[in-house]
Amino acid sequence: MKRMKRLFSFLEEEYRKKTRKSCALFQRASRYMVRGGSHSLRLWKPYPFFLTSASGSTVEDADGNRYIDYWQGHYANILGHNPELVRRKLLPYVKQGALHTGFEGSTQLELAEKIISRLEKTGLKIRFTTSGTLASTFAVMLAMGYTGRDFILKVGGGWHGSSPYLLKGVKYHPGRGFSLPDSAGLPEEFSQKIIITRFNDTEQLVDRFKKYGSKLACFILEPFIGVGGFLFSSREYLETARDLCDRYGVVLIFDEIISGFRFAATGLQKLYGISPDLSLFGKLIGGGQAVAAVVGRRKIMEACEKAGKEGRVLFEGGTFSAHEEYLRAGLVMIDYLEKNEEKVYPRIGQLAEELRRGIEKSFQAEGIRVVCTGRPNEVVGFSSFFMVNFPKKEFDYKYPEDVWNPDRSDVFLREEVLKLALLLQEVHVVHGGGCLSTAHTQEEIKRTIEAYAQVARTFKKFLKS
Ligand SMILES: Cc1ncc(COP(=O)(O)O)c(C=O)c1O
């Protein structure tokens, strides 16, 4: 631990030298904002750099440092930051006045048609809102209203935004795993009605349904779990989930806020050939603006219009829902991905594989065990994600516990030390990695691997000698 502390202190000192202006801005921000900002993932230790510009694969901070960025707007920016294509197409709308009006518009219809047609399923309806958190909240409310039940099944490590219904089993608690409520400010009974099951563990899923099936309104999961470790569901797991939900009358919700349009110009549901009852989309579908949506079977979606067993579900998208400018950006993005599907996904998937391999090799060369998660499986051809894990001993990464249990993986090294070490190499990552965009070049992948190799040498120097 002493060695780790020494390493972190060394990195912190170097980072402070490099980011003096950001430090001053952070001190000012801390006077007005809690912890100096609005999202904890952007507020790393000792303080975040402050952004001045972002373009394509890179971002620049207040001190003039330019970083290759693998965070890409919380994984929303598959075409890189501020893509010329979206900006160019938005310009005429902005010129003619694209600010908020509060009326229905035809762009909404076009985006609705586009998303539903890409899922190639009949009888679906969609409603837009402005964040993934709202979409997951509304989806759970729809499930409860439709079924007349109020228990929720979710997976340990699953993140669906700060929805009050889903803030349990998000973070790993040593000794208790993913079993605790993760937020204060919620009624005690909420927590008792949220049941946690292990991601990709079919046996445990069957047990949970045996015990709670008749009380459950919904089972919600990410078919590709994001913060839980960049792991894909097995086909068997999703098929079992579908069967069990049918058998017990439970609404199956796929949270595709990360996976939607990320692995192909559609959702993972289409690639797996498994249809959920409701699905959530966000991030990519806004083309860099605040758009999210709930899509689902007509009968369930209509619970927000007609009274279901528990009355009408008040799913109003919000003042800024279906904002004309936001939707226009989303439409440009989805349209581009649809037309360039053959080009986009294989390319970013191949570059990501090169990166995953290069990173693993760089650490191996220094005698440090590293496993990158995010690799595609037999269903998904290409994956643009990578998460760098430091396993304490050799094993296969299958569950979120493998990624977040500090007895299995060195979480502090991945989350805090690696982050700071890479910033000194002008590479920005979250959870040890991130995702690729079409703006990342082969040359940048090479530079990134060199950056990780440099970090591996520093780690060896401080931790092994
Ligand atoms: C899988 C998943 N669902 C839901 C959300 C919440 O979305 P938002 O941050 O737009 O509220 C996120 C955000 O990262 C997410 O990754």
Side-chain angles (χ1 to χ4, degrees), residues 21-153:
K21 286 188 183 157
S22 281
C23 185
L25 285 166
F26 180 68
Q27 281 167 358
R28 223 174 106 199
S30 301
R31 263 188 257 144
Y32 304 106
M33 283 173 276
V34 181
R35 273 195 63 204
S38 300
H39 198 302
S40 59
L41 279 176
R42 302 175 191 164
L43 297 167
W44 61 84
K45 282 184 195 137
Y47 54 84
F49 62 65
F50 276 62
L51 198 83
T52 49
S53 69
S55 174
S57 55
T58 60
V59 295
E60 194 171 312
D61 72 10
D63 293 87
N65 302 302
R66 182 164 281 280
Y67 306 85
I68 304 176
D69 178 35
Y70 293 98
W71 177 225
Q72 289 293 334
H74 297 230
Y75 318 132
N77 299 342
I78 194 170
L79 305 182
H81 290 289
N82 288 303
E84 161 69 17
L85 170 84
V86 179
R87 282 187 298 134
R88 188 165 23 92
K89 294 245 169 117
L90 271 189
L91 219 54
Y93 293 93
V94 175
K95 273 191 183 150
Q96 79 187 24
L99 297 181
H100 184 50
T101 58
F103 289 93
E104 301 295 332
S106 62
T107 316
Q108 178 177 193
L109 162 66
E110 283 180 65
L111 188 58
E113 268 175 356
K114 181 71 85 188
I115 292 172
I116 288 182
S117 73
R118 293 309 301 170
L119 297 176
E120 286 178 30
K121 183 103 194 352
T122 51
L124 294 180
K125 290 247 169 149
I126 187 166
R127 184 164 274 203
F128 290 105
T129 182
T130 45
S131 77
T133 300
L134 283 169
S136 65
T137 307
F138 289 136
V140 171
M141 284 164 63
L142 283 170
M144 287 182 179
Y146 178 74
T147 59
R149 303 171 181 174
D150 61 359
F151 274 63
I152 296 159
L153 184 64

Side-chain angles (χ1 to χ4, degrees), residues 331-342:
L331 199 55
V332 175
M333 172 78 94
I334 303 295
D335 199 46
Y336 178 85
L337 293 173
E338 185 181 17
K339 292 194 175 111
N340 295 278
E341 190 171 23
E342 299 294 316

Side-chain angles (χ1 to χ4, degrees), residues 278-298:
L278 295 177
S279 30
L280 317 178
F281 289 88
K283 300 199 191 273
L284 275 176
I285 67 159
Q289 308 256 37
V291 181
V294 182
V295 186
R297 282 172 46 210
R298 186 177 50 81

Side-chain angles (χ1 to χ4, degrees), residues 385-419:
F385 287 97
F386 66 106
M387 185 183 280
V388 173
N389 299 283
F390 298 96
K392 297 251 167 118
K393 56 179 188 200
E394 235 162 85
F395 64 89
D396 276 347
Y397 278 79
K398 280 175 34 196
Y399 307 117
E401 285 82 351
D402 297 333
V403 171
W404 287 102
N405 179 349
D407 293 336
R408 292 183 77 70
S409 294
D410 196 327
V411 178
F412 179 68
L413 188 59
R414 179 188 66 223
E415 295 295 314
E416 302 200 25
V417 187
L418 178 62
K419 169 129 197 167

Side-chain angles (χ1 to χ4, degrees), residues 131-415:
S131 77
T133 300
L134 283 169
S136 65
T137 307
F138 289 136
V140 171
M141 284 164 63
L142 283 170
M144 287 182 179
Y146 178 74
T147 59
R149 303 171 181 174
D150 61 359
F151 274 63
I152 296 159
L153 184 64
K154 76 176 280 288
V155 304
W159 168 246
H160 309 285
S162 300
S163 170
Y165 296 120
L166 298 160
L167 283 176
K168 183 179 170 184
V170 176
K171 292 191 189 322
Y172 189 89
H173 300 265
R176 300 292 302 273
F178 293 110
S179 67
L180 301 178
D182 290 294
S183 176
L186 301 175
E188 168 67 22
E189 67 189 72
F190 272 37
S191 169
Q192 284 163 10
K193 290 183 173 175
I194 306 170
I195 311 300
I196 308 296
T197 193
R198 182 147 84 151
F199 180 73
N200 256 348
D201 184 338
T202 306
E203 228 174 275
Q204 194 172 93
L205 190 64
V206 173
D207 282 350
R208 293 285 190 267
F209 269 84
K210 268 190 200 149
K211 191 157 176 208
Y212 300 102
S214 60
K215 292 183 180 169
L216 292 176
C218 61
F219 173 36
I220 181 167
L221 80 159
E222 300 155 79
F224 169 78
I225 196 162
V227 69
F230 287 176
L231 301 162
F232 286 93
S233 298
S234 71
R235 185 190 283 285
E236 184 217 6
Y237 187 66
L238 293 186
E239 281 172 355
T240 307
R242 182 63 279 174
D243 285 351
L244 289 167
C245 285
D246 287 342
R247 198 165 346 134
Y248 288 88
V250 175
V251 174
L252 179 61
I253 307 175
F254 280 3
D255 180 342
E256 296 236 43
I257 285 170
I258 287 184
S259 62
F261 295 85
R262 201 7 114 166
F263 303 107
T266 180
L268 274 185
Q269 53 194 276
K270 169 103 188 298
L271 303 187
Y272 278 89
I274 296 167
S275 301
D277 300 305
L278 295 177
S279 30
L280 317 178
F281 289 88
K283 300 199 191 273
L284 275 176
I285 67 159
Q289 308 256 37
V291 181
V294 182
V295 186
R297 282 172 46 210
R298 186 177 50 81
K299 261 194 151 166
I300 306 175
M301 291 299 292
E302 282 178 353
C304 62
E305 192 43 53
K306 295 181 197 149
K309 285 187 187 143
E310 297 287 296
R312 182 164 96 84
V313 174
L314 258 174
F315 174 176
E316 309 295 2
T319 297
F320 291 104
S321 61
H323 187 297
E324 186 67 16
E325 187 194 334
Y326 300 174
L327 296 167
R328 184 54 56 185
L331 199 55
V332 175
M333 172 78 94
I334 303 295
D335 199 46
Y336 178 85
L337 293 173
E338 185 181 17
K339 292 194 175 111
N340 295 278
E341 190 171 23
E342 299 294 316
K343 201 170 74 184
V344 167
Y345 299 101
R347 181 175 172 276
I348 56 176
Q350 277 153 8
L351 286 180
E353 183 52 25
E354 205 175 301
L355 194 50
R356 288 186 289 256
R357 279 205 204 128
I359 293 169
E360 284 170 347
K361 264 195 186 158
S362 305
F363 280 99
Q364 263 160 26
E366 305 305 325
I368 299 169
R369 213 181 279 125
V370 152
V371 173
C372 287
T373 48
R375 287 197 160 87
N377 65 1
E378 70 287 355
V379 179
V380 182
F382 301 97
S383 163
S384 45
F385 287 97
F386 66 106
M387 185 183 280
V388 173
N389 299 283
F390 298 96
K392 297 251 167 118
K393 56 179 188 200
E394 235 162 85
F395 64 89
D396 276 347
Y397 278 79
K398 280 175 34 196
Y399 307 117
E401 285 82 351
D402 297 333
V403 171
W404 287 102
N405 179 349
D407 293 336
R408 292 183 77 70
S409 294
D410 196 327
V411 178
F412 179 68
L413 188 59
R414 179 188 66 223
E415 295 295 314

